[in-house]
Amino acid sequence: MSTISFAGDAVARIAYLSSDIILSVQPALNIDSDFSRQLHLLATRKTPGIISREPNIQAVRHNVDPLLSAFQPLLSGKLVSVTTSSSILLQSIPHLYKLAHHPIVIHVSLHPFRQPDYSEITSIRQSGFIFLQSETLQEAQDIALSAHALAIQSGKGVIHFFDPANSLDDDPIKIEDRELARGLLNTDAARREHSGIFGDYSLYVDDDGQSIVTKSNLSFVENQKTRTLDSEVSSNAQPPKVSKGEESSVGSSARESSADSRPTVSSATSLDSITPRLVTSEDVLEYISHIWSQLSIATGRKYEAFEYSGPPNAEYALFVFGSTGLFVDEILAANPSDEFAECGIITARLYRPWLGSRLLESVPPTVKKIAVLEHIRRKTTKWGPVLLDILTSLKTGPSSSESPKIVGHQLGYIETATARQALRGIFQNLKSETPIQNLEVGNHERPQHLQNQNNLIQPKVENAYMKMLDQVFGPRLYLANRLEAAHAGVLPSIATTPEYGFGSILARIDHRKRFIEEVQEAAKSQDFTTSVSQKWLSKWVLSVNDPSKVNELAEEVISRLATDGSRLSSQLLSSKALFFQESQWLIGSDAWAYDLGNSGVHHVIASGANVNMLIIDSQPWSQRAAADATRRKKDIGLYSMNFGNAYVASVAVYSSYTQVLEAMIEADQFDGPSVVVAYLPYNKENDSPLTVLQETKRAVDLGYWPLYRWNPYNDDKGKPNFSLDSERIKHELEEFLRRDNHLTQLMNRHPKFSANLSESYGTEVRALQKRKAKDAYSKMLESLYGAPVTILFASDNGNAESLAKRLGNRGRVRGLKTMVMSMDDFPVEDLGVEENVVLITSTAGQGEIPQNGRAFWDAIKDNTELDLSQVNFTVFALGDSHYWPRKEDKIYYNKPGKDLDAKMAFLGGKRLTDIGLGDDQDPDNYYTGYNEWEPRLWQALGVANIEGLPEEPPPVTNEDIKIQSNFLRGTIAEGLADTTTGAIAAADQQLTKFHGTYMQDDRDLRDERKAQGLEPAYIFMIRCRLNGGVATPAQWLQMDSISSSFGNGTMKMTTRQTFQFHGVVKTKLKPAMRGINKALMTTIAACGDVNRNIMCSPLPTNSAFHRDVHEVSARISDHLLPSTTAYHEIWLKDDDDKQIKVAGNAVVDYEPLYGPTYLPRKFKITIAVPPHNDTDVYAHDIGLIAIKNKNERLEGFNVLVGGGMGVTHNNKKTYPRTGSMMGYVAADKIHIACEKIMLVQRDHGDRKNRKHARLKYTIDDMGLDVFKGKVEDLLDFKFEDQYPFYFKSNIDTFGWQKDELGLNHFTFFIENGRVEDSATYPMKTGLREIAKVHKGDFRLTPNQHLCLSGVPDDDLDRIKGMMKQYRLDNVQFSGLRLSSSACVAFPTCGLAMAESERYLPELITKLEGCLEEHGLSHASIVMRMTGCPNGCARPWLAEIAFVGKAYKAYNMYLGGGYHGQRLNKLYRSSIGEEEILDILKPMIKRYALERKEGEHFGDWTIRSGIIHQTTEGKAFHENVAEEESDEG
């Protein structure tokens, strides 16, 4: 930015440069103030400040007592500034008196906009602050800078105020001069203030909180007078002299007068004294005059305490305390005949301290009358405060008898068009012989559009808790301080506070007592139309002390009274809510229900009343370090528990929905005060649920926000008072208690070691680990010969780590002393003492260094003091030159390695050899570049030609792991028994896939756990094997229970029609597997290099045919199941059920189909039933298309082979492929055909290159005819010609359908297959309740939805009622949403590069408005998203697909077939959300206008020329819309 156009921006930039901390006071976190946009722009760009390299910006809402947040940093020696509107000033008066004696600067933008109320300034004029005023855009910049310089020099608080509308028409100005600012701020003094080192030249705050000044400080200022910012300027420029007799309200807050008086004691003190004294008005003027003198010398712009502009011989003048813009323009344009021609204007630049003598000096002696114009809305006295200041100054001046006459005026709202008329009125009054004092000019009623500019708004994200309260308590819920409630005569900012709400509840309790008495009387009355009402009222009165009974009766009583029609019944119904035993709640929320000083909490708990409080903490975990500890709400729980009479719970709806429900219900049942502290972290009120979820996970899983419930009276019931609900903390607490018990025993046995043992051994654990690792290597190597070489790696997929270890081994056999470790494990401070350093890094994300090198890079990237002049280094980088195809993105190619190379050289390092660049596009991938670089390294180290080097063992491959595993056993059992880690061995991680489980870690928590010195949060995913996706109600209930007991509380229905559980920790793997087995289900072969779960169309409309097809799927599945007994031994045998051994060795299994090495890669089979291709039959290794006979029963199958979805980004040797037709096979022989196809793949698939190992490559390499021949060689029959068939869609049909047997089926919309409860949608609970009564089955669909099948007509109403109760009957979504699908991706999938399941719903929401606008709300467009190119959600067949490439970056594909029959093609590479929307919205509009009848989106993109058609897999990379550049 070269120029600035707005005063708020100019001031914000100065505040940013001049502060350590800026409190940005805003109407809401997502609503910008006049300053916040510019502040956050500077922070985002990481613009360095002058006082602080990285100023900390803290956004604070205007309604939460914002100035409270200034105290802690001020007392820590920080320089603090505040940017705010004037709306907070009056409520902050108690703080202002204390802050006035600290060097804080408060920049105040006067509001309401265009009608500012200066009374908010005059009301705080005696608070002890120095007040500076600016009017124009340039003045705003200069005075803002002056305010900061003055605060630093005086040690006092400064308020700089301005009207932002006054300068709107000013010409843009240049941005601030940093060197000028640096000189004015006197950064040396500022840093002394900042650091808290108060020496002879310091301005500081004493114990009494008074700003004081010393002799040496004033001498310092005097010495500065001769200094200028330009060395060529003459040194005899002096600041104005200061009168000794001037005094101000600044000197002491106790002073009420603002007029001149005799010198104070402190001001009369000799400068020769070394005794510190209070800062006086003379000192303030001395400082500001010197600052303005420096500013004048540097810029030519002059400022005075009072400024006069106009003719030097003017007889009339205006003293304007308000917006001058309107009047200045009119006066400058005045005609000679105008009343206000030739008048002057006086303004107060320094409003406090008020220096009366300076005012007299500024006014020409010719002035006879002065009109004082005050923009004051709140009249607290008859005369305006500025008018009184001026009158007092003139009457007590040296020539008071000759002083000008003063006429006061009150300014209201003046339109531009009426400014001239207003001036005429002012001057007519001023020139009158008997002027009217306090004449009102303009409209004093604030225009309607300026009312309530800072309305309180409840953020939508809080609906999660509000809706839960409503769902749980229904008509019984009473929210005393809800935002929309009407309170006559009470401002919402007061009525919504918990303290006010508590008073409201107490009044309501009294009201209900009176109501009960009224009902008792009414029950005896004969004024009802019928006696039925009396009867029910009597029942109610008798049960009034039993909450459960009274609530059951309430609805019936209300119903009876409603039909009675009498006057008495109407009277009672006017308070019908009181028939319920209400659940009375107060809400605490910084957004709209701020609890000042937690007074509401205190009053509720101290009262002992049966009142519930829900306190929402919105502080994000990631901002916890910068947060004001005085506002931390998590401590409210501990505070409440200390009272001993309150129920307390700490909850987080985005972590555990069930725990929130339990807490709310328990709080309601507790007889006494209840406090539920609820976590809902967000940076802005409009943050997405995904952001809230990620912040919640970090806070809960890392222990910052523990989930617990506390009931002080549970002891009486034999239950524990405290229940810890945080799973990860619970586990770590158990470990701590175990360890603590062990340490206690040691201390008892060895008292002399007690002190050492009891210390927190967690202190500096991470640093100690690094040091120990390095020292251990050093000891091991000190006896070896040869040069030392330290090899540091940063790796995200293991390649860089493998290269580093390989290089270390090769160096060791050459006689070098090699040490290999990750960059983050190396102590950076030791880098300068290393002799030879090798850095090997891969490239992550958008040109970022991998995770285990980030701390290392952060430590050196801005380091200028690290001396590497004695270090020899080299770098090898791994990347992909085609990964970012656009020319502007080429900088990301191997960026981490290039950055490391440049930085090491910058710090003085000497290159052993030039950087090596490994490129995945080279013939041997990164090995091409590596094999060129490594010999140069050995040459540089003098070990190139070494004879007799041993041969290196070949790297261990998956094939080696399988063959050495003893039929999938490996060391899995031993790994499960190892409690020292949550992980298992690397080889076992490959083997457990065959058992149906993947080891993962929570990627949301990686950085935080690493920073804490903890291993990753290892978890496991379990995938079931579920033939055809059909489960019984009993199995559904068991899966539900397993997800809650052992997983993360959710179930995932996958694109392969089975259940998946996430978040299972290692200790719960066995119990979970056994639970699955008890449901007569298994997980064997759900993953791994075997035939996986067989898919089958749910087919709800033809039950008999579905039964035929499903039986075949079960037969194929059972026939191809692995035979190993390892699964039973590891997961299902009891601990004492020892494995049978023969001659000391375990019995060896036999795999008749697979053999000891199983298949080269995974193998997938699916069955589709035309006309629905809902299983994506073309996308699998074997696709079976069911063929009906004339009796509508199964005849046989058309067989497709060679489909597959896995791809590697930018590797054109990999591609998706649709299946090729082999022919027809009868139903009774199909399992044999599948077997033989699989066996040919077993024997001919590529076992050397796993990226080329799928059946699709075998067929393309071999040719379809050759492959078919090899299969037929193993069969005793030939494939027949295919039977005719057709497909019309590959999506699900939602809602109710009836089959030929009269049974009903309902397909639920389960977005992306995630079954969970939320505040707005208790899906998991509802499906659980339905499973308890359902008599049919559950069919999981291949599109991740659920079909409730086989509902008889007799049960239909009951099921429909339950579906409505739990909101499960809603399928009214856009066609795009109903046709969408996404894989899991973050946070659990280790392969994910970007979000998918958590992001796709948000993206669709942002497109639905466009679809509706163009009449496409119900148009079915197949959209799919995956977090990586492995294709779990089968994206390559979608009409629109997004495949993750880096965080928030996706490749976009278009042109897939709506029936799943055609591959799509790359349209744009590496685009973010903004580009996606910019592309799709116009495209959707075109589609709506140009499509033919019945034409699908994918077909239209090809017909319209937007994308080329993909004819086969090998053509997938040809003719893409965005050609990849070869420039590197």
Side-chain angles (χ1 to χ4, degrees), residues 1033 1329-1338 1348-1352 1355 1359:
E1329 295 304 312
I1330 288 174
K1332 292 176 181 179
V1333 301
H1334 181 44
K1335 298 169 185 173
D1337 52 39
F1338 289 87
L1348 186 71
S1349 296
V1351 180
D1355 294 341
I1359 294 296

Side-chain angles (χ1 to χ4, degrees), residues 479-493:
L479 286 180
N481 63 327
R482 70 184 190 277
L483 185 59
E484 65 275 12
H487 297 272
V490 181
L491 293 173
S493 58

Side-chain angles (χ1 to χ4, degrees), residues 1 57 123 148 160 255 430 580 605 748 930 959 986 1088 1148 1154 1160 1380 1420 1429:
M1 177 190 292
I57 298 169
S123 298
H148 284 278
H160 164 224
R255 268 190 229 146
L430 181 64
F580 293 94
I605 297 173
N748 290 338
Y930 180 81
E959 297 303 309
V1148 176
Y1154 292 103
S1380 66
S1420 177

Side-chain angles (χ1 to χ4, degrees), residues 315-351:
E315 296 184 7
Y316 302 96
L318 302 178
F319 188 105
V320 184
F321 191 70
S323 300
T324 60
L326 287 175
F327 297 146
V328 169
D329 293 342
E330 292 298 334
I331 290 172
L332 290 176
N335 297 318
S337 59
D338 288 330
E339 294 90 337
F340 47 84
E342 298 299 318
C343 78
I345 296 179
I346 308 166
T347 54
R349 188 71 56 226
L350 177 65
Y351 175 54

Side-chain angles (χ1 to χ4, degrees), residues 614-632:
L614 181 72
I615 308 296
I616 296 175
D617 189 342
S618 57
Q619 179 66 53
W621 181 89
S622 57
Q623 295 181 10
R624 69 201 184 287
D628 186 351
T630 60
R631 299 182 183 277
R632 195 167 56 202

Side-chain angles (χ1 to χ4, degrees), residues 515-715:
F515 180 74
I516 292 171
E517 294 174 358
E518 291 175 16
V519 174
Q520 288 172 338
E521 292 299 319
K524 305 172 186 176
S525 172
Q526 301 299 317
D527 293 341
F528 293 105
T529 304
T530 68
S531 61
V532 175
S533 298
Q534 290 174 289
K535 176 185 174 183
W536 281 99
L537 287 175
S538 298
K539 285 184 179 181
W540 185 86
V541 169
L542 292 173
S543 305
V544 75
N545 294 320
D546 186 335
S548 60
K549 287 186 178 180
V550 81
N551 289 328
E552 288 177 8
L553 291 168
E555 290 189 10
E556 188 66 31
V557 170
I558 293 171
S559 174
R560 300 292 179 176
L561 291 175
T563 58
D564 184 82
S566 63
R567 185 185 60 80
L568 182 55
S569 63
S570 299
Q571 180 182 332
L572 293 174
L573 285 173
S574 65
S575 302
K576 63 181 179 182
L578 298 178
F579 278 110
F580 293 94
Q581 177 67 49
E582 291 179 324
S583 184
Q584 296 173 325
W585 288 80
L586 296 170
I587 308 298
S589 166
D590 283 357
W592 58 277
Y594 179 64
D595 192 11
L596 182 63
N598 294 325
S599 56
V601 174
H602 177 79
H603 281 108
V604 168
I605 297 173
S607 72
N610 188 10
V611 175
N612 308 304
M613 289 198 74
L614 181 72
I615 308 296
I616 296 175
D617 189 342
S618 57
Q619 179 66 53
W621 181 89
S622 57
Q623 295 181 10
R624 69 201 184 287
D628 186 351
T630 60
R631 299 182 183 277
R632 195 167 56 202
K633 293 182 178 59
K634 59 181 287 189
D635 298 336
I636 291 175
L638 181 60
Y639 170 79
S640 304
M641 284 190 282
N642 284 334
F643 269 80
N645 70 332
Y647 173 88
V648 183
S650 175
V651 303
V653 69
Y654 280 88
S655 178
S656 176
Y657 174 87
T658 305
Q659 191 244 1
V660 180
L661 281 178
E662 291 175 345
M664 287 180 172
I665 293 169
E666 289 174 359
D668 177 61
Q669 293 172 347
F670 185 79
D671 187 13
S674 299
V675 177
V676 178
V677 190
Y679 197 49
L680 192 73
Y682 55 85
N683 299 286
K684 295 183 178 181
E685 289 84 354
N686 58 352
D687 273 359
S688 69
L690 174 57
T691 302
V692 180
L693 171 66
Q694 291 174 320
E695 290 284 351
T696 302
K697 283 187 60 180
R698 293 188 185 103
V700 174
D701 288 358
L702 293 170
Y704 171 77
W705 191 271
L707 306 181
Y708 62 82
R709 287 165 292 136
W710 159 271
N711 187 328
Y713 304 139
N714 267 358
D715 270 346

Side-chain angles (χ1 to χ4, degrees), residues 907-921:
L907 294 172
K910 304 184 187 83
R911 289 187 178 89
L912 286 163
T913 183
D914 289 340
I915 182 173
L917 300 177
D919 188 352
D920 281 349
Q921 297 300 317

